[in-house]
Amino acid sequence: MASNPLKAGKELWSKNRRRVLVAAGVVVVALAYGHHSPEVKTERAEIPAGYESAGRELAVHAEAKPEKPVPLLLVLHDDESDAATIEKDSKVSALADQQKFALVYPEAVASTWQTNGQDARYLWDVVRYVAKERSNIDMSRIYIWGAGEGGRLALTVACGPLDPAQQPLFTAVGTVNTVGPLPACPSRVHVKSVALAPERKWNEATTSELWKFSKDIKG
């Protein structure tokens, strides 16, 4: 008598069910891993030879090869501080991972910013270096934030007169606890200032507020 093909099929599935399910699970995990963005870590770097600011240090937190161009954000520490401190206080790196933007923490010489041509040139070199050698940057979405004197430098650089040598352009500037006479900005530059109580440091809430302001502004 001929065997029942339906019954045989059920018996075969029953015997191999566990193997099939395990194999399917492995495939799903592999696909998920393959589409998962690589872990991004903050790395110390130096501006390389070929730039006017060669040798100046910075910290970079950026995916090396994002599929699409991403915004770039520079975050400047206050005088008597450093890149590591502003990263820890602001929690901007965690936001960059969530929102998929490239992030740089420039470093002042001897922890003091100079609002002159030297530090301005350094910041422009930072953008060029990251865009050319570290990530895939959307050059219409470049933002700069700063705390205290870092905020003053951010305004000075972003709001200065247009000049072919002063490229790229920053489209949004955020300042935190920057006081005293500040440079006026033309309408092409969007500015938001945040004042915190003296005992408060730049924190995650401030970062979220500045990102909501900056993220939809394009050049």
Side-chain angles (χ1 to χ4, degrees), residues 48-70:
Y51 297 82
E52 290 188 29
S53 305
R56 288 285 299 267
E57 295 185 348
L58 66 156
V60 181
H61 188 96
E63 185 178 343
K65 296 180 180 179
E67 293 182 1
K68 298 180 180 179
V70 296

Side-chain angles (χ1 to χ4, degrees), residues 55-198:
R56 288 285 299 267
E57 295 185 348
L58 66 156
V60 181
H61 188 96
E63 185 178 343
K65 296 180 180 179
E67 293 182 1
K68 298 180 180 179
V70 296
L72 172 63
L73 170 63
L74 280 64
V75 178
L76 310 185
H77 61 78
D78 198 355
D79 282 359
E80 306 304 320
S81 185
D82 55 29
T85 299
I86 194 68
E87 179 181 26
K88 179 180 178 181
D89 290 345
S90 66
K91 306 294 191 296
V92 184
S93 293
L95 183 65
D97 292 340
Q98 296 170 6
Q99 298 293 327
K100 306 303 180 186
F101 61 87
L103 175 62
V104 180
Y105 301 95
E107 193 84 70
V109 174
S111 297
T112 303
W113 294 113
Q114 303 294 328
T115 53
N116 58 20
Q118 184 175 358
D119 272 351
R121 172 58 59 192
Y122 163 61
L123 296 181
W124 296 324
D125 281 350
V126 165
V127 175
R128 292 191 183 95
Y129 163 63
V130 174
K132 183 179 179 180
E133 305 185 38
R134 299 297 300 251
S135 192
N136 181 13
I137 302 301
D138 180 349
M139 299 301 283
S140 71
R141 302 183 67 187
I142 302 176
Y143 317 129
I144 184 168
W145 303 344
E149 290 304 299
R152 187 181 304 278
L153 176 60
L155 288 169
T156 300
V157 172
C159 301
L162 288 174
D163 186 301
Q166 296 179 347
Q167 300 291 332
L169 299 179
F170 297 95
T171 56
V173 183
T175 68
V176 179
N177 285 359
T178 299
V179 298
L182 300 176
C185 283
S187 59
R188 63 177 173 80
V189 181
H190 302 263
V191 180
K192 183 176 183 63
S193 296
V194 178
L196 302 177

Side-chain angles (χ1 to χ4, degrees), residues 3-80:
S3 61
N4 187 333
L6 293 178
K7 182 179 179 181
K10 289 180 179 180
E11 291 177 350
L12 181 62
W13 164 248
S14 179
K15 291 180 179 179
N16 293 283
R17 182 172 180 272
R18 180 178 176 81
R19 293 180 182 177
V20 172
L21 292 177
V22 170
V26 170
V27 171
V28 170
V29 171
L31 289 174
Y33 182 82
H35 288 86
H36 180 70
S37 298
E39 182 180 359
V40 179
K41 296 182 179 180
T42 303
E43 299 177 346
R44 296 291 300 184
E46 286 188 0
I47 302 294
Y51 297 82
E52 290 188 29
S53 305
R56 288 285 299 267
E57 295 185 348
L58 66 156
V60 181
H61 188 96
E63 185 178 343
K65 296 180 180 179
E67 293 182 1
K68 298 180 180 179
V70 296
L72 172 63
L73 170 63
L74 280 64
V75 178
L76 310 185
H77 61 78
D78 198 355
D79 282 359
E80 306 304 320

Side-chain angles (χ1 to χ4, degrees), residues 180-211:
L182 300 176
C185 283
S187 59
R188 63 177 173 80
V189 181
H190 302 263
V191 180
K192 183 176 183 63
S193 296
V194 178
L196 302 177
E199 68 276 8
R200 285 186 61 197
K201 295 180 180 180
W202 184 341
N203 58 17
E204 191 171 0
T206 302
T207 295
S208 296
E209 181 179 350
L210 287 173
W211 181 246

